[in-house]
Structures are given as structure tokens and as C-alpha cells.
Amino acid sequence: MLQRIVTRAEGLFGKRKREEEPTVLLDDVTKLPSKEQHKLDATRILHNRKGAKYAYVSCDVSGFKYINETYGYAYGNVVLRYIATVFASCLGKDELVSRTTGDHFCLLLHYQSEEGLKERIHDILNAAADYLMAEEGIQRRLLFNCGVYLIHKNEDINMIRARASAARKRNGKGFRDQIAFYNENDFVKELEVKELEADIRRAAEHGELKVFLQPKYEITTGHVIGAEALVRWEHPERGMLTPNKFVPTCEENGFICEIDFFVLEEVCRKMREWKEEGKKLVKVSTNFSRRHLEEVDFVDRLIRTVERYGLKPSDLEIELTESMAYEEMGTLLSVMRQIKEAGFGLSMDDFGSGYSSLSLLREMPVDVLKLDKGFLDGCHEGASANRDKRIVYHIISMAKDLNISVLAEGVETLQQMEFLKASHCDMIQGYYYAKPMPSKCFGDYLEAIA
Ligand code: C2E
Ligand code: MG
Ligand code: MG
């Protein structure tokens, strides 16, 4: 069965293309045309479509996380490859499929009527789910979440993709495949995102982005041993905005890379000031998005920035998050090694919130593991509290076995603090001691509590 699908799929997007265009860019995991190649191909097909009606489908696998967590990442990649192969086998002439990131696929399809298109999408999704159940024994039927955009004349591929994706994001979680067509409300949402994009660039230029610092404490002594830098947007009309209001959009459009370096610069400027005033220096950590993994000179830029302020990399700590896709792991590990070699402290943020893998800890050259707040929340409520406590306890002892310090994030109560102390956690950060404060107040705070 697979061979038949593969042969057909090669006919559709592999061999034929390779003969005509020898430099087809491929996605590493699925061997489908890459995102960039897909955009070029879609633009060409739409340009030559001569009145044929086309729709764009943005699609992801509901609960793909479950597959990764139950069967492992490598198997998750096998599933993505099978989905890619089945999708490709369902395509006709001048139709396309590609995988953009993670479990997210895009299809360019012909259609005659909306009803017919919906049926066809269901058939394609069923073919993939049936195949994985029959041949691979996946016990839980795969369900998909799709957004569909009906393409008009002369529309730009980026806008087409954004609209299909906006429709997909509207879908809820259900027990059957969800297929939503783009509508006016999605348009409003898309406008909001566009406005936010323009607004944040303006905000950065007008000095509306601010850096707050939240102290980190050594749990046994209660001494401040560091701080985390957190960005805020002092919006002229909407007040002080926390990162959840704008970081996700900036992650999508890449502007987060500018924000992260802005925060680092602000931190360095503050630290130089403290140094010049003879104040005590504590190690400050800054958050860096996974988007930096795509930059070839990321670590060099970190070093250059710090040196420009007369500081050493060891004065700072870099926080990276662990919830990255499996295929990014190789790059993540290599960037981590470079960061460590340069002399920066390195911490793994939000451990336990995403696809945490304890075994990866062995390979990651991190100094600090930051336990996600979600773990602690589970420790004092509900029937699973005891189990969650045992998990936290064992993660801490395992990390320490590997010579990695543990910091618990989001500590809000004395009860949590005492439990962490008893579990030999090294550091805590949370409202129990102090909330994030404007960086200009931090020096005074340190002096006041000394
Ligand atoms: P994070 O790096 O895990 O930062 C910790 C978050 O937990 C901060 O939220 C902090 O204010 C909050 N927090 C600390 N203690 C407590 C507590 O006791 N209770 C509760 N409920 N919350 C607590 P914030 O500042 O809203 O930041 C959220 C996330 O946004 C950060 O999570 C980080 O992932 C991201 N972020 C913040 N600044 C930056 C930045 O400059 N660059 C990047 N790439 N991401 C950033
Ligand atoms: Mg952080
Ligand atoms: Mg965190």
C-alpha cells in the first residue's frame, strides 16, 4: 500500500518536478517541497490558472502532541511522513501540498463547489487517518483541524496563507475533523494582527517597550542571586501590556528577534550603570525566542552586544525554552553549546510545559532548569497533588544528579516554598517574594533588602 502511495506521490511532486526543476527545495522531515518552494509553485500555478477555481487549505493534526509524547518524536516524524505521502497521493494535476512547521500542512486544491470541496477534504483526511490506523496501528484515529480559503483573482500567496490559517485557528477541539471556511470575523482578527504588527514596530521606535526585572532567590538563605528580564509594552491607550498580548504575534512575524536584543541591550546598559555606581552586580537572565535558531550569527551577536557594554558573558544568563519541535533539537543543542563555550550562563525555561524529555537533559549543557509554574500549581490541589509532588521531587533530584541547578518559577505561597525547600530545590522566583519591577527600581530594591 505504502509503495503504491509513494510511487504515485513521487509522480505528483517528486520525479516530475525534479526533471523540470532540478533545484526543488525539500522539507527535511517529509521530503515534500519546502515552504519557500511551495510558495513559488503556488504563485506560478495561480498565475496560470485561466479561470480554474482554487482553494487553499491550512491543516494541522489535532492532538499531535499526544503522538509525540506517547510514541516519541522519531515516530512523530514517521507519522508526518505518512500523512505527507497520503496527502500527496490524493492530489491532481496542478495541486500542491507542503508542510510548513511541526504538524502543519498546506494544500492548494481545485474546486467546483464549496460542498464538493468540503467532501473532498474529508476524503483526503480520511485517507490519511485510515492509512495510519490500518498500516501503522495508531489506535486513536487521527483528527485534523482545517481552515479553508477560497482564492480570488490576483491575491498574494502570503495573504492567502494567512487567511486559511486564520480560519483554522478559529476551530475548536472536536471528535471529528473540523473544517472551517474563512469568513468576515477572521478578516477582523487578521486586521487586528496586522495593526498589532505595525503598532509594535512603532512602539519600539518610540521607546514604549520597557524592561522589568524579577528577582531570583536562593532558597536556603533567601538572598537575591539573580534576576530575570521581562519585556513590557507601555501602550499609550491600553496601559502596561504583558508579553502574552504581543509576543506570540512577534514570534510569528520574527520581530521577536529585535525585541530580545533590545531587552539584552537594556539589561547591559543597566548592569554597566550598577557597575559604575559601585552597586552589587547580580546575574541577569534574558529570554530568547526559538526564532534565533535560524540566525547564523546569533551567538556572535550576543557576545558583541555584551562586550560593547564592557561586560563579560558570564555576567549574563540566556533562557531558552524547551518546548521546541523535535526537528529543531539538533540546532538547539548546537546553539546551546556555542552559548556555553562563549561563557554565558544557560537555563532551560518552562521545563515541563511542553514536550519535555528527561533524557534530553543529559545532552543539554544547561546550568539551570526552570521548573514551569504549571507543575507547582498541580502540587497543592486536587486528587493528583501527591503524584505531582513526587514528580517535582524526582525531577529536582535527577537534575541535581546531572549537576544542573533547579529554579522553581511562579512560587506564590509559603506552602509551595516549604515544599520546594524540602525537595532541595536551589532557587525560586515568584510573587511570594517579589513581582517583576521596572529595571530602574531594581538597584534600590537590592539595597533596601540587603
Ligand atoms: P517566562 O520566561 O517563564 O517568565 C516568567 C513569567 O511568569 C513572567 O510572566 C512572570 O511575570 C510570571 N511570574 C513570575 N512569578 C509569578 C508568580 O508567582 N505567579 C504568576 N502567576 N506569574 C508569575 P510575563 O512577564 O508575563 O512573561 C511571560 C512570558 O513571556 C515569559 O515567560 C517569556 O516566555 C515571555 N517573555 C517575556 N519577556 C520576553 C522577552 O524579552 N523575549 C522573549 N522571547 N520572551 C519573553
Ligand atoms: Mg524566562
Ligand atoms: Mg518560564
Side-chain angles (χ1 to χ4, degrees):
M1 165 81 172
L2 179 64
Q3 191 48 48
R4 207 169 65 233
I5 289 177
V6 170
T7 315
R8 172 140 169 68
E10 279 187 344
L12 285 163
F13 63 81
K15 287 190 176 143
R16 179 174 54 78
K17 282 263 177 59
R18 260 176 246 141
E19 278 157 24
E20 287 166 15
E21 297 168 36
T23 54
V24 171
L25 305 167
L26 296 179
D27 161 37
D28 280 349
V29 174
T30 60
K31 306 300 174 211
L32 287 175
S34 70
K35 185 164 115 187
E36 293 317 314
Q37 183 68 48
H38 172 80
K39 283 197 210 172
L40 291 174
D41 292 345
T43 305
R44 177 179 43 77
I45 290 174
L46 292 173
H47 183 74
N48 299 327
R49 68 171 153 162
K50 297 197 186 86
K53 292 206 275 189
Y54 272 99
Y56 200 80
V57 184
S58 165
C59 167
D60 61 24
V61 185
S62 311
F64 187 67
K65 187 168 177 266
Y66 165 83
I67 295 179
N68 267 340
E69 285 176 354
T70 314
Y71 303 94
Y73 296 101
Y75 190 72
N77 282 354
V78 171
V79 170
L80 291 176
R81 269 196 288 280
Y82 282 143
I83 295 173
T85 311
V86 176
F87 279 4
S89 75
C90 296
L91 300 184
K93 185 171 181 300
D94 284 342
E95 292 187 318
L96 299 173
V97 60
S98 90
R99 187 188 71 117
T100 34
T101 49
D103 59 332
H104 181 201
F105 290 84
C106 288
L107 297 106
L108 180 73
L109 301 176
H110 278 298
Y111 76 98
Q112 303 292 339
S113 69
E114 280 190 38
E115 262 321 294
L117 174 63
K118 203 165 177 177
E119 252 176 55
R120 173 137 183 252
I121 296 172
H122 270 302
D123 287 346
I124 296 175
L125 304 181
N126 279 333
D130 288 347
Y131 178 74
L132 280 155
M133 279 182 95
E135 305 285 320
E136 277 301 308
I138 292 243
Q139 277 153 22
R140 220 161 84 167
R141 189 178 175 78
L142 278 195
L143 291 173
F144 295 86
N145 208 6
C146 296
V148 185
Y149 180 64
L150 305 177
I151 304 169
H152 303 102
K153 252 189 166 169
N154 300 330
E155 285 178 323
D156 166 63
I157 186 65
N158 289 318
M159 191 211 72
I160 293 170
R161 289 164 56 84
R163 293 194 167 176
S165 152
R168 173 177 53 84
K169 285 179 190 156
R170 173 165 40 92
N171 278 346
K173 305 253 173 293
F175 298 104
R176 44 198 284 271
D177 295 324
Q178 310 274 332
I179 301 176
F181 281 70
Y182 180 83
N183 70 24
E184 275 309 300
N185 287 337
D186 297 326
F187 181 65
V188 172
K189 190 108 203 94
E190 189 193 317
L191 269 187
E192 281 172 7
V193 169
K194 281 230 166 71
E195 275 169 21
L196 176 68
E197 281 184 19
D199 225 22
I200 184 92
R201 286 173 200 275
R202 184 200 49 75
E205 282 161 20
H206 288 76
E208 290 169 17
L209 295 185
K210 306 283 173 197
V211 174
F212 275 45
L213 293 175
Q214 186 178 30
K216 297 176 185 175
Y217 304 83
E218 186 174 57
I219 204 160
T220 47
T221 59
H223 292 156
V224 176
I225 39 84
E228 174 174 11
L230 297 157
V231 69
R232 298 283 180 271
W233 178 0
E234 198 174 20
H235 196 282
E237 283 132 37
R238 296 166 63 199
M240 197 62 89
L241 302 181
T242 48
N244 61 335
K245 300 279 191 318
F246 58 95
V247 162
T249 303
C250 296
E251 289 257 2
E252 271 192 27
N253 66 18
F255 192 60
I256 192 69
C257 295
E258 296 314 308
I259 295 183
D260 289 348
F261 273 97
F262 160 81
V263 172
L264 179 66
E265 295 253 352
E266 285 299 299
V267 165
C268 289
R269 187 169 301 132
K270 259 283 143 269
M271 290 179 82
R272 186 173 65 185
E273 235 174 79
W274 295 334
K275 228 172 146 179
E276 284 168 0
E277 291 166 4
K279 282 190 175 144
K280 180 178 150 200
L281 267 197
V282 293
K283 195 175 259 193
V284 180
S285 64
T286 56
N287 295 282
F288 280 87
S289 154
R290 73 184 67 176
R291 291 298 300 256
H292 294 281
L293 298 183
E294 299 157 20
E295 296 176 327
V296 278
D297 70 336
F298 170 49
V299 181
D300 284 341
R301 196 173 163 196
L302 286 177
I303 300 170
R304 282 199 307 273
T305 309
V306 170
E307 286 178 347
R308 205 161 354 102
Y309 290 86
L311 298 166
K312 298 191 294 297
S314 59
D315 294 329
L316 289 121
E317 188 170 299
I318 307 299
E319 294 197 11
L320 296 175
T321 158
E322 53 93 30
S323 54
M324 301 203 178
Y326 178 73
E327 68 266 27
E328 286 174 336
M329 278 306 166
T331 322
L332 175 66
L333 286 175
S334 131
V335 170
M336 281 181 153
R337 287 188 200 110
Q338 292 171 45
I339 290 174
K340 282 300 301 166
E341 268 164 34
F344 290 98
L346 179 62
S347 58
M348 169 94 321
D349 204 357
D350 304 335
F351 187 84
S353 65
Y355 303 144
S356 318
S357 164
L358 288 174
S359 60
L360 273 172
L361 269 187
R362 273 188 301 133
E363 295 176 55
M364 291 181 169
V366 296
D367 305 298
V368 181
L369 190 124
K370 297 191 77 176
L371 264 188
D372 189 65
K373 180 176 184 308
F375 265 133
L376 281 188
D377 290 344
C379 282
H380 65 109
E381 268 166 27
S384 57
N386 264 337
R387 203 195 56 180
D388 284 4
K389 276 186 172 170
R390 291 185 66 76
I391 294 175
V392 170
Y393 182 87
H394 287 292
I395 290 178
I396 295 175
S397 44
M398 205 193 72
K400 296 185 78 151
D401 242 20
L402 295 167
N403 258 336
I404 300 171
S405 306
V406 181
L407 178 148
E409 299 186 285
V411 180
E412 292 182 347
T413 64
L414 173 66
Q415 204 187 354
Q416 288 174 334
M417 211 274 286
E418 281 175 344
F419 160 65
L420 290 162
K421 207 170 185 175
S423 308
H424 310 291
C425 181
D426 303 285
M427 293 165 277
I428 60 170
Q429 177 184 345
Y431 297 171
Y432 177 68
Y433 275 122
K435 289 194 168 177
M437 58 190 85
S439 58
K440 60 175 188 285
C441 305
F442 189 78
D444 296 339
Y445 173 79
L446 279 189
E447 277 176 8
I449 61 161

